[in-house]
Amino acid sequence: MRPNLLVGVVSVLIGATYTAQAFMLPKAMVGNPWAPLYFPIGLGLLMIALGTLLIVLEVRKAVKGVDDYKRPKFTASSIKLIAGTSAACVTYALIFEDLGFIPSSLLFLGSLLSMINGLKAWKINGVITLGFTFGAWFTFVKIFQINLP
Amino acid sequence: MEVLGYLAQGFLVAMTPVNLVWMVAGSALGTVLGMLPGLGPSTGIALLLPLTFGMRPETALIAMCAIYYGAMFGGSRSSILLNVPGDGAAVASAFDGYPMACKGQAEAALAISAIAYFIGGLLSTIAFVLVALPVARFALRFGPPEYFCLMIFALAATAAISKEALLKGIISLVFGLMLSTVGLDFQSGVPRFTFGSQELQMGIDFVVVIIGIYGISEVFVNLEHIADNVAKPVQSKFGRIWITMEQWKKSIGPILRQTPIGFLIGVLPGAGGTIAALMAYNNEKQISKHPEEFGKGAIEGLAAPEAANNACSVGALIPMMTLGVPGSGTTAVMLGALLILGLQPGPLLFEQHPDVAWGIIASMFLGNVVCALINIPLAGALVRVLSVPPKLLYPLVVVLAFLGVYTINFSVMDFYLLTILGLVGYLMKKFKVPTAPLILASVVGASMESSFRQSLMLSNGSLAVFFRSWICLVLLLAAAVSVAWPFISDWRSKRNQGEAVDVPVD
């Protein structure tokens, strides 16, 4: 599929879902009951219109045989790294408040460095993880007086 | 005289020890962040934003401005020494800066870059001083309809920056506006798109959007090349970093010619340092008697984009500070920071908080000096940062981003949003959907909707309110022209090409 066509389809889907949700929003109790809905509905409809326009333009180009696009490349290794990093981020969110800043950050940064820098460099990974985590904790808690769990 | 009085007051604010310390620290941090490929000024400021939360407003803004021009400056260090621009605006500095370094003139290249940067910044700050008050006073005439139209113009100009991505740019900005509608509607108390979540009632903080879309997505993009992304060996020992009289004579003309151009480009919403620097480079090449030397280490080819780039970064602060409307991703981040600090940028900032407004302006003069002073003698020490392997750098950026985001609302909901927005930003970059309109829209979205609804209340629901004042009409016309301009210029160039072909040749 042409990349812009995909962008158009996704835009229409986002616009349609958003518009449907906007119509389901509760009405205002005071003043014009539709006032909080106008702006979102307008945005949703605009998104659908823009997405449709992009689809039409891309279909016209495809019919004319204009190949002025480059497909984005996704390699297996990069997808693995990005998926791994995202999973680490979600895990960090899950454990952050329960375990506290220092243990969860040690795990988070340690896992990121292991994934990205490799397990073989475990010594440097360990030093950076410890140094950065305790350094960040000291900076935020002791210097900036920002409470961390 | 009135301006000079305010400026003197501003210098008193900027020169307090704490502000000077943050100015120096911000310039150094900004330079380091700007040098690192992938972490431009916007990401840098966004990542360092939480550090400013405990500061006084003027100190926070002075620190952020210092990070901003430090980052703009740092971008060119890696361009000159490694041929790896820190950000888009530093691309043009590599064209002649790197060949100069290859010829053994790294010291002269670094010095010319610093001098051009300094003069460009100084002259454009003088222009800022002259322009700021009249613009701010004019903007006092703006009511909700005018502000709505102004935001339409700023967003349209940003989305329309390239013809190819025009439609995708507008889609990006509509998506940003959609994000800004999440949360409790403060005018009616209606929760919108919160799906029953308490945390989402306060909305999606634009800092989360900025760090996700700029910071995390940039890390994801860089992870693709992490295997072959090895830190290049970098020259860190230099002789005397200075230039000869002959080099000075060659540089001063391009600096003085391209500074006003860079400044004007900066004032326009949407255009940015990259356009300013490239335009300055091309201008100088066109008027040069030796255009063949460009790209092979021409001093003019380095001085012109450096001066224009910094003039542009100062110019970009004008709409943000005087009108309260950001013209670029970086100024959107700074505007967001002002809002967090409880200040509403715009004309009233100059009326109600002259100490903050003029303190920041005065700090620009001092910041330029500080940046040049830091960067000339400490070039050798600062460029060592470029030796940090990206494999170690990016995990640290991710953790710093999460830590920064947590300090805004102290909610782990922001961690999930950050991850999702990082992935969204990554996909947007892969599919060449511009991200700057999304950022701008997410920052101004709430006030844009508020202006829209206030305008409708004033007119009893009639949209004609947006066409009643000449200011609205001019702004809407400017928005329409900025969207149509890429097509008009495309049509004109095609017509010119057609005419050139039609000319009979004897």
Side-chain angles (χ1 to χ4, degrees), chain B residues 23 28 34 56 60 87 95 103 108 135 139 141 185 213 229 232 315 357 362 461 486:
Chain B
M23 205 185 292
R56 290 175 59 82
D87 70 330
F95 296 162
K103 285 194 227 167
V135 175
R141 295 160 69 174
D185 171 36
I213 296 289
N229 216 340
K232 288 186 186 177

Side-chain angles (χ1 to χ4, degrees), chain B residues 137-161:
Chain B
R137 288 199 173 141
F138 175 71
L140 284 173
R141 295 160 69 174
F142 282 30
E146 285 80 10
Y147 264 109
F148 178 74
C149 295
L150 180 65
M151 287 179 220
I152 291 274
F153 167 55
L155 292 175
T158 310
I161 202 69

Side-chain angles (χ1 to χ4, degrees), chain B residues 42-353:
Chain B
S42 320
T43 316
I45 296 176
L47 285 173
L48 297 175
L49 194 59
L51 294 183
T52 63
F53 289 166
M55 297 178 188
R56 290 175 59 82
E58 65 274 17
T59 308
L61 256 290
I62 285 170
M64 270 185 285
C65 282
I67 295 167
Y68 180 25
Y69 30 72
M72 300 299 274
F73 197 95
S76 62
R77 310 288 85 187
S78 48
S79 285
I80 292 167
L81 296 172
L82 289 176
N83 202 20
V84 179
D87 70 330
V91 168
S93 307
F95 296 162
D96 283 285
Y98 186 63
M100 279 182 81
C102 290
K103 285 194 227 167
Q105 297 175 354
E107 290 86 354
L110 290 172
I112 287 165
S113 141
I115 292 166
Y117 172 93
F118 173 70
I119 299 174
L122 196 70
L123 293 178
S124 48
T125 309
I126 293 170
F128 191 130
V129 170
L130 298 174
V131 167
L133 215 50
V135 175
R137 288 199 173 141
F138 175 71
L140 284 173
R141 295 160 69 174
F142 282 30
E146 285 80 10
Y147 264 109
F148 178 74
C149 295
L150 180 65
M151 287 179 220
I152 291 274
F153 167 55
L155 292 175
T158 310
I161 202 69
S162 91
K163 192 197 100 188
E164 288 73 24
L166 173 66
L167 210 47
K168 290 194 282 185
I170 302 174
I171 286 173
S172 168
L173 89 83
V174 173
F175 186 58
L177 290 173
M178 284 176 166
L179 291 178
S180 76
T181 60
V182 175
L184 212 59
D185 171 36
F186 286 108
Q187 288 189 25
S188 63
V190 169
R192 299 188 300 188
F193 310 105
T194 58
F195 307 103
S197 160
Q198 288 283 331
E199 285 96 337
L200 280 179
Q201 289 214 345
M202 291 309 290
I204 300 175
D205 200 288
F206 49 78
V207 178
V208 180
V209 179
I210 290 163
I211 297 182
I213 296 289
Y214 277 155
I216 300 292
S217 73
E218 202 57 50
V219 172
F220 286 160
V221 169
N222 282 291
L223 285 181
E224 290 188 341
H225 316 286
I226 204 86
D228 24 84
N229 216 340
V230 181
K232 288 186 186 177
V234 57
Q235 178 182 350
S236 59
K237 288 211 169 89
F238 299 100
R240 187 168 175 255
I241 297 179
W242 203 241
I243 52 170
T244 61
M245 185 51 82
E246 191 196 348
Q247 287 169 326
W248 163 251
K249 281 179 187 166
K250 279 186 175 176
S251 324
I252 189 67
I255 293 170
L256 295 179
R257 277 192 294 272
Q258 302 311 324
T259 294
I261 293 171
F263 180 76
L264 289 174
I265 291 173
V267 175
L268 293 174
T274 312
I275 292 175
L278 289 172
M279 195 183 265
Y281 184 84
N282 285 328
N283 288 346
E284 279 307 314
K285 193 176 175 182
Q286 278 172 5
I287 60 172
S288 170
K289 287 176 186 164
H290 304 286
E292 71 284 355
E293 287 177 8
F294 277 68
K296 294 172 189 164
I299 289 165
E300 301 90 326
L302 176 61
E306 284 292 282
N309 188 6
N310 196 30
C312 176
S313 61
V314 175
L317 292 171
I318 290 186
M320 191 274 279
M321 280 184 62
T322 59
L323 303 173
V325 175
S328 66
T330 314
T331 48
V333 182
M334 293 170 77
L335 182 111
L338 270 170
L339 294 173
I340 290 173
L341 294 162
L343 295 175
Q344 178 63 53
L348 291 177
L349 184 72
F350 285 80
E351 298 281 321
Q352 293 168 351
H353 303 281

Side-chain angles (χ1 to χ4, degrees), chain A residues 59-80:
Chain A
V59 169
R60 272 177 57 183
K61 276 185 188 173
V63 170
K64 284 183 188 169
V66 182
D67 284 339
D68 59 345
Y69 63 91
K70 246 186 180 175
R71 274 199 185 88
K73 281 183 187 156
F74 297 93
T75 59
S77 59
S78 67
I79 289 175
K80 218 168 106 182

Side-chain angles (χ1 to χ4, degrees), chain A residues 4 18 26 36 73 94 117, chain B residues 168 181 190 192 392 416 430:
Chain A
N4 282 356
Y18 181 87
K73 281 183 187 156
L94 289 170
N117 198 31
Chain B
K168 290 194 282 185
T181 60
V190 169
R192 299 188 300 188
L392 298 179
Y416 297 111
K430 292 297 283 184

